Every structure is written in structure tokens, then in C-alpha cells.
Amino acid sequence: MFAVSPEKENKLRAKLDALGIYEKDLEETFVRSQGRGGQNVNKTSTCVYLKHIPTGVEVKCQKARTQGLNRYYARVFLFEKIDRLIKGKESEEEQRIAKIRRQKRKRSVRAKEKMLAGKRMQSVKKSARSSRISFDEV
């Protein structure tokens, strides 16, 4: 049905079924895309607009140049959006965002001192290597 491998399609269907999102509840329309893509984008309706009727969640996708891929991506985005609504903090997307936030936050003073101590040790090692007498000087 979509322009992806059957196993990707089956995984997506399983995720959607787990959340109770069925094809009969989706309203799908196709719109002309905008931006890059050349003649293909200008002549065909590759942008996919997807609405989940029970929740009222809407998604518009023009990530790829082909309609089939955009249909797949639109369903993925819809799943993520509804998953965030239902599960909140426990959703996969929220966990991924929280992990990135933890990675980017500033180090504590103790962690920074430990890291700098390691760098100082490395610099001592390097300076000790360069201070040795070479055989050319003797």
C-alpha cells in the first residue's frame, strides 16, 4: 500500500492498532505540495493531509517527493502525536526528548572538575614526552 518495505508497514500497522487507530477512522486528502521537488511537486498532489476523526488530531506531511511515502510518514507522525496525547510522559518521543535534554544540560561542578583533572593528566603525559632528549642533540 505504501512505498516502504512490508515489514515497516506491518510494524506501523501494529503500533496504530495498539493505540486503537484504524484506517476507517482516518480522513485522508491529498493537496499540492509547496517548495522544492521541481515539476513532480508542481503537477501532482503529493502532500498528504490526515485527520483522525475520533480525536480530531490533524497531520500534514510533505516530507518526501512521492505520495506513497508521504502517506506512510503522515501515519507515523499521527501515531507519535496521538501517542504523546495519550501516554504523555511515558511515550517514546517524550523519552527521546528527555534524553537529549539530559545530554545537553550543563555538567555539575564536581563532574566538570573530574573531567578537567583528566585533561590535566593527559597534558602532563604529553609534555613529558616532548621533554625527552633526542639522539640528534647528543
Side-chain angles (χ1 to χ4, degrees), residues 133-138:
I133 301 170
S134 66
F135 292 106
D136 297 337
E137 294 174 8
V138 178

Side-chain angles (χ1 to χ4, degrees), residues 1-137:
M1 185 171 158
F2 308 116
V4 293
S5 67
E7 54 189 58
K8 273 189 178 180
E9 192 174 325
N10 291 336
K11 282 183 183 178
L12 177 64
R13 286 202 192 287
K15 284 182 176 181
L16 292 174
D17 288 344
L19 275 184
I21 304 169
Y22 304 106
E23 287 293 323
K24 64 181 180 185
D25 297 335
L26 299 178
E27 186 179 295
E28 186 175 41
T29 54
F30 304 103
V31 189
R32 291 262 170 97
S33 294
Q34 295 175 341
R36 296 189 311 250
Q39 188 175 11
N40 179 62
V41 164
N42 298 329
K43 286 175 72 175
T44 59
S45 298
T46 53
C47 181
V48 177
Y49 171 81
L50 206 57
K51 182 176 182 179
H52 186 242
I53 297 164
T55 58
V57 175
E58 300 173 350
V59 171
K60 191 174 181 183
C61 178
Q62 60 180 35
K63 186 176 177 179
R65 287 186 64 195
T66 62
Q67 192 181 78
L69 262 178
N70 282 332
R71 290 182 72 205
Y72 172 77
Y73 287 132
R75 281 164 175 77
V76 170
F77 296 150
L78 183 79
F79 164 76
E80 290 172 354
K81 211 170 187 180
I82 293 176
D83 187 43
R84 261 184 272 146
L85 279 174
I86 294 172
K87 293 184 180 175
K89 288 271 184 192
E90 295 117 31
S91 73
E92 293 174 23
E93 184 67 12
E94 289 294 327
Q95 287 176 351
R96 187 184 68 79
I97 291 168
K99 181 181 177 185
I100 291 170
R101 198 175 291 128
R102 281 193 307 271
Q103 288 172 344
K104 288 187 174 184
R105 74 178 174 213
K106 287 187 176 182
R107 287 188 172 99
S108 67
V109 175
R110 188 172 178 188
K112 195 172 185 180
E113 286 173 1
K114 191 174 178 183
M115 184 257 311
L116 289 174
K119 285 188 170 189
R120 278 193 291 274
M121 288 297 295
Q122 188 66 23
S123 102
V124 167
K125 281 186 202 172
K126 281 192 162 190
S127 62
R129 287 183 202 140
S130 64
S131 65
R132 288 189 182 152
I133 301 170
S134 66
F135 292 106
D136 297 337
E137 294 174 8

